[in-house]
Amino acid sequence: FLGVMPAYSAADDALTTKLVTFYEHKKDSSVPSHQATILLFDPRNGSLKAVLDGSVITAKRTAAVSAIATKLLMPPFAEVLCILGAGVQAYSHYDIFTELFTFKEVRIWNRTKEKAVKFANSVNGPVQVCSSAQEAVTGADVIITVTMATTPILSGDWVKPGAHINAVGASRPDWRELDDELMKNSILFVDSREAALTESGDVILSGVRL
C-alpha cells in the first residue's frame, strides 16, 4: 500500500505531505514493513524546502500518541505491559512506555517467535517472550497491538476487565487486530470519527457505532 497524507496549516504557514509504504514481508527481512518520507513545501510558491526521514518521525509520533492515551485511560496501579508485534512500532512504544511509566513486567508476542526473542535481547530491560498472544495478554493492564494482522489476533475473552488497549496496527479497512467481542464490549476513543469510519478495519468490520 502507498499512503499519501497531505496537510496545510495557514496558522503555522506550513504545507507538507507524508508518503508511507506498507509491505508485509512474508519472510524475515531487514527492510521495515513501514517506510515513510515527509516533504515540506513553501506554501507561498510550492517550492520543496526539506525532505525528512518520515520513518523515524512516524515511529516516535505514533508511540507518543499511544503514551498520551495511556496516561489518561490506563487503570490505576498498572503493573503489566503487553506488546503484540515486534516491529519498528514495538520498539518505539517500548522506549517511551518504559521511560514514562513504571511496569513490573513487560511481555511480548510475535507471530514469528525469533523476532520476539530478538526484540527482548535488543531492548534495555527485562522482557518476557510469550509463546502465544493469549499468554501475553492474560492479566495485562496495558496492551499495545502493533501488527499487520488481517484477522483478529486479540480476543475479548483474554482481556482483563479495565485493561487499556492501544490498537495501532489495523490502519486499513480490511485489516483486523481486535475481535468483535472485544470491540463491542469496549469504550472506544478515536482522534477522528470520520477517519476511523473509513480507515479502521477494527471499527468497520466489527460494525460498532461511534
Side-chain angles (χ1 to χ4, degrees):
F1 298 98
L2 170 65
V4 181
M5 306 172 186
Y8 170 68
S9 172
D12 299 312
D13 194 33
L15 175 64
T16 185
T17 189
K18 181 170 81 170
L19 306 174
V20 56
T21 57
F22 303 80
Y23 278 76
E24 182 177 10
H25 303 298
K26 298 298 183 181
K27 296 182 180 180
D28 190 20
S29 172
S30 59
V31 179
S33 59
H34 295 57
Q35 299 181 76
T37 300
I38 295 175
L39 305 178
L40 181 65
F41 301 96
D42 187 329
R44 294 169 297 180
N45 55 33
S47 298
L48 181 65
K49 298 177 67 177
V51 179
L52 309 176
D53 186 338
S55 296
V56 172
I57 294 171
T58 297
K60 293 185 179 296
R61 182 210 66 85
T62 305
V65 172
S66 294
I68 293 171
T70 300
K71 181 179 180 180
L72 297 173
L73 300 172
M74 72 177 180
F77 312 111
E79 297 183 342
V80 179
L81 171 66
C82 165
I83 303 174
L84 303 182
V88 172
Q89 285 292 346
Y91 285 91
S92 61
H93 277 74
Y94 175 88
D95 288 342
I96 193 167
F97 273 62
T98 54
E99 179 181 346
L100 295 180
F101 310 112
T102 302
F103 294 101
K104 292 183 177 180
E105 184 180 350
V106 180
R107 305 171 186 166
I108 188 164
W109 169 84
N110 191 71
R111 283 177 292 184
T112 305
K113 188 174 182 179
E114 290 77 13
K115 293 184 72 172
V117 172
K118 180 181 178 182
F119 177 95
N121 293 334
S122 301
V123 298
N124 296 320
V127 176
Q128 177 185 343
V129 177
C130 297
S131 58
S132 68
Q134 182 176 0
E135 178 188 350
V137 168
T138 302
D141 301 294
V142 176
I143 302 167
I144 302 169
T145 60
V146 280
T147 72
M148 292 187 70
T150 55
T151 58
I153 47 91
L154 180 57
S155 170
D157 288 339
W158 309 337
V159 177
K160 176 182 179 179
H164 170 65
I165 301 169
N166 296 293
V168 178
S171 57
R172 296 288 301 169
D174 56 347
W175 292 1
R176 290 291 302 270
E177 288 188 312
L178 317 183
D179 73 354
D180 287 351
E181 179 182 352
L182 183 55
M183 289 295 294
K184 292 175 181 177
N185 292 318
S186 297
I187 299 174
L188 304 180
F189 294 83
V190 299
D191 55 357
S192 167
R193 186 187 299 263
E194 180 182 4
L197 290 172
T198 57
E199 298 177 12
S200 171
D202 284 324
V203 171
I204 296 168
L205 298 176
S206 66
V208 299
R209 294 186 177 182
L210 292 181

